[in-house]
């Protein structure tokens, strides 16, 4: 027990999210907004009273990290192995867009082979999934989450900055045909942009028997244009879906660390999850730890401090030295985030760099 990754609030880390690249081929409005249309959307929402123009509109710079700063697959595997020896059970590969990195199936195979990894998953925008799907499955990937915020190709482009709706839909289909289970789909809901699609996205989840997650918009965008009024609170989403479909809550008492509040359709097909980090923070049960593509360990999405493991990996530190450092870092995990509090400070890194 002494070897666990336990923080000073009694929480034990079981879930490691590994960003394998900070690069991305999409420019999502809530993550790496870049298009004129995205800028116009935000501008149109500012008003003097409820939604003042953010104090700092300096975009967060996201110069891609030089390749030499990215952890190699050997280094990632080593951190995961050490993490597992300290009680990590779940590993999720993410980014940036993880499928932009070369030979991701090679990394999946390495991690799947580590005894003690009970659950290995990936989050992807899905654009490049089809060409690697088979190899990923063969390598041992069992679970996959796609991000798809709209069923309408034009709105999809507004949200992601790219024409890619058909490719992502094809990716979701293929993942189901290949037997990935469950196939999850995440949608960030932004008021005034895709909230009119909530019911149709849920209907899509039921028709295709998907696990669908609606996520609240968090202040982690590179343009720092997040505003509270753009967040659709999960309870509002749920009320609408209950009215439309009579959703039934799923008993989650044996999984307190799950971020999504899950609901089933009465006919048992598909599932809806609501992830409400802004309106109903779940920090008290958080068991997650994040490793950035350049080797920084983060104890929270919103941490202002991160801990560089790369010098240890590239120096002569032993596994025991790295394990001790990881235990120290986790001990200092913050009690929770401060979104909505007067002293909230958005971290320098954006979601694309931290790894969602
Ligand atoms: N590129 C991949 C993708 O989009 O699935 C993986 C990385 S992405 C950062 C992981 C998840 O974070 C996605 O589901 C995305 O929708 C979510 N995300 C990004 N920015 C967000 C924000 N500001 N608020 C809430 N979720 C966000
Ligand atoms: Fe890229 Fe994913 Fe961020 Fe969209 S959410 S810009 S796909 S990292």
């Amino acid at each position: 027990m002494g070897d666990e990754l336990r923080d000073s609030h009694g929480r034990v880390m079981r879930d490691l999210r590994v960003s394998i690249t900070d690069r991305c081929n999409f420019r999502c409005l809530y993550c790496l907004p870049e298009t004129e249309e995205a800028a116009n959307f935000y501008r149109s929402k500012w008003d003097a009273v409820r939604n003042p123009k953010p104090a700092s509109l300096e975009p967060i710079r996201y110069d891609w990290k030089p390749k030499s700063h990215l952890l190699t697959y050997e280094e990632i595997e080593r951190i995961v192995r050490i993490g597992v020896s300290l009680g990590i059970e779940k590993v999720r590969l993410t980014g940036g867009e993880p499928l932009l990195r070369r030979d991701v199936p090679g990394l999946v195979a390495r991690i799947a082979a580590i005894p003690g990894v009970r659950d290995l998953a990936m989050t992807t925008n899905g654009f490049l999934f089809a060409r690697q799907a088979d190899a990923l499955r063969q390598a041992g990937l069992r679970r996959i989450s796609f991000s798809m915020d709209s069923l309408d190709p034009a709105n999809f482009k507004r949200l992601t900055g790219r024409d890619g709706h058909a490719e992502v839909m094809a990716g979701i289909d293929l993942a189901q045909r290949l037997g990935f289970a469950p196939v999850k789909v995440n949608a960030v809901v932004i008021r005034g942009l895709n909230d009119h699609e909530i019911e149709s996205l849920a209907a899509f989840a039921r028709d295709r028997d998907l696990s669908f997650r609606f996520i609240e918009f968090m202040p982690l965008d590179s343009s720092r244009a997040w505003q509270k009024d753009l967040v659709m609170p999960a309870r509002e989403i749920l009320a609408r879906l209950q009215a439309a479909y009579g959703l039934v809550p799923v008993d989650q008492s044996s999984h307190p660390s799950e971020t999504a509040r899950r609901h089933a359709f009465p006919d048992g097909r598909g599932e809806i999850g609501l992830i409400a980090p802004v309106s109903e923070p779940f920090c008290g049960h958080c068991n997650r730890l994040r490793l950035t593509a350049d080797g920084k360990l983060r104890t929270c999405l919103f941490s202002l401090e991160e801990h560089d493991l790369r010098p240890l990996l590239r120096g002569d530190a032993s596994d025991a030295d790295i394990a001790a450092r990881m235990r120290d870092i986790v001990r200092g995990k913050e009690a929770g985030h401060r979104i909505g509090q007067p002293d909230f400070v958005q971290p320098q890194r954006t979601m694309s760099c931290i790894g969602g």
Side-chain angles (χ1 to χ4, degrees):
M1 289 298 275
D3 278 348
E4 286 184 325
L5 294 165
R6 183 180 292 274
D7 74 9
S8 62
H9 309 280
R11 297 169 298 189
V12 178
M13 304 303 114
R14 300 284 181 217
D15 186 336
L16 179 65
R17 314 227 152 181
V18 182
S19 169
I20 63 172
T21 177
D22 55 344
R23 291 167 171 72
C24 192
N25 48 353
F26 279 17
R27 290 292 177 273
C28 298
L29 180 140
Y30 46 75
C31 184
L32 287 176
E34 191 185 68
T35 61
E36 198 43 37
E37 202 171 359
N40 283 337
F41 170 77
Y42 284 121
R43 276 186 211 118
S44 74
K45 298 295 167 191
W46 296 333
D47 72 63
V49 187
R50 284 194 58 80
N51 263 327
K53 187 172 163 181
S56 160
L57 271 174
E58 272 304 293
I60 293 174
R61 287 177 62 87
Y62 57 92
D63 296 335
W64 311 128
K65 298 284 170 204
K67 290 236 164 80
S68 61
H69 288 203
L70 300 191
L71 296 192
T72 63
Y73 287 174
E74 288 77 10
E75 289 168 337
I76 293 174
E77 180 190 350
R78 185 171 174 207
I79 295 288
V80 172
R81 204 167 15 78
I82 296 169
V84 167
S85 76
L86 298 171
I88 293 290
E89 296 172 345
K90 294 171 72 170
V91 178
R92 177 172 293 273
L93 302 179
T94 178
E97 175 43 44
L99 294 177
L100 285 177
R101 188 122 179 216
R102 200 170 305 151
D103 188 25
V104 182
L107 175 64
V108 166
R110 282 170 179 267
I111 296 180
I114 299 174
V117 172
R118 296 221 183 122
D119 185 14
L120 174 57
M122 177 183 292
T123 304
T124 172
N125 64 31
F127 190 78
L128 297 172
F129 176 71
R131 65 182 77 160
Q132 304 192 52
D134 245 330
L136 288 167
R137 181 96 186 127
Q138 299 293 334
L141 191 68
R142 294 285 167 267
R143 297 207 301 120
I144 186 134
S145 301
F146 293 89
S147 299
M148 196 191 59
D149 317 300
S150 171
L151 290 171
D152 163 14
N155 210 26
F156 180 95
K157 185 171 182 193
R158 216 164 285 136
L159 277 145
T160 62
R162 297 285 185 265
D163 266 322
H165 183 256
E167 286 81 354
V168 178
M169 288 290 267
I172 294 170
D173 269 354
L174 179 59
Q176 287 192 299
R177 281 206 304 280
L178 290 177
F180 284 89
V183 174
K184 280 194 193 163
V185 179
N186 297 332
V188 178
V189 184
I190 299 191
R191 201 188 284 283
L193 204 53
N194 61 344
D195 54 314
H196 63 288
E197 294 197 56
I198 288 170
E199 286 84 358
S200 53
L201 286 165
F204 171 73
R206 192 186 51 191
D207 292 349
R208 303 289 179 95
D209 201 10
L210 291 163
S211 228
F212 204 96
R213 302 285 183 253
F214 290 99
I215 307 177
E216 289 179 347
F217 178 23
M218 292 182 272
L220 287 169
D221 55 307
S222 62
S223 61
R224 297 173 187 264
W226 180 90
Q227 297 268 357
K228 195 142 196 278
D229 277 4
L230 297 176
V231 179
M232 270 297 276
R235 88 180 74 81
E236 213 175 309
I237 300 176
L238 180 61
R240 273 174 49 181
L241 292 180
Q242 264 166 339
Y245 302 112
L247 299 180
V248 188
V250 171
D251 176 18
Q252 294 173 271
S253 46
S254 51
H255 302 282
S257 294
E258 270 184 314
T259 51
R261 290 288 148 257
R262 292 161 47 204
H263 295 263
F265 289 93
D267 65 5
R269 275 179 69 75
E271 188 193 80
I272 299 296
L274 295 138
I275 305 186
V278 179
S279 67
E280 297 165 57
F282 33 79
C283 307
H285 292 293
C286 179
N287 65 357
R288 280 170 294 284
L289 206 52
R290 291 184 154 81
L291 181 66
T292 66
D294 57 343
K296 311 276 199 310
L297 202 62
R298 295 180 64 93
T299 48
C300 174
L301 267 178
F302 295 93
S303 296
L304 297 175
E305 195 189 355
E306 42 190 30
H307 310 270
D308 198 357
L309 297 181
R310 206 172 65 223
L312 297 182
L313 287 164
R314 296 192 180 169
D316 53 12
S318 65
D319 285 2
D321 295 336
I322 295 176
R325 179 81 187 106
M326 287 172 72
R327 279 201 305 271
D328 272 355
I329 293 168
V330 167
R331 223 165 283 134
K333 182 173 160 90
E334 41 284 83
H337 69 62
R338 315 268 314 148
I339 302 175
Q341 307 298 316
D343 59 350
F344 174 73
V345 179
Q346 179 169 345
Q348 266 305 315
R349 297 247 223 182
T350 63
M351 190 65 140
S352 63
C353 293
I354 298 168

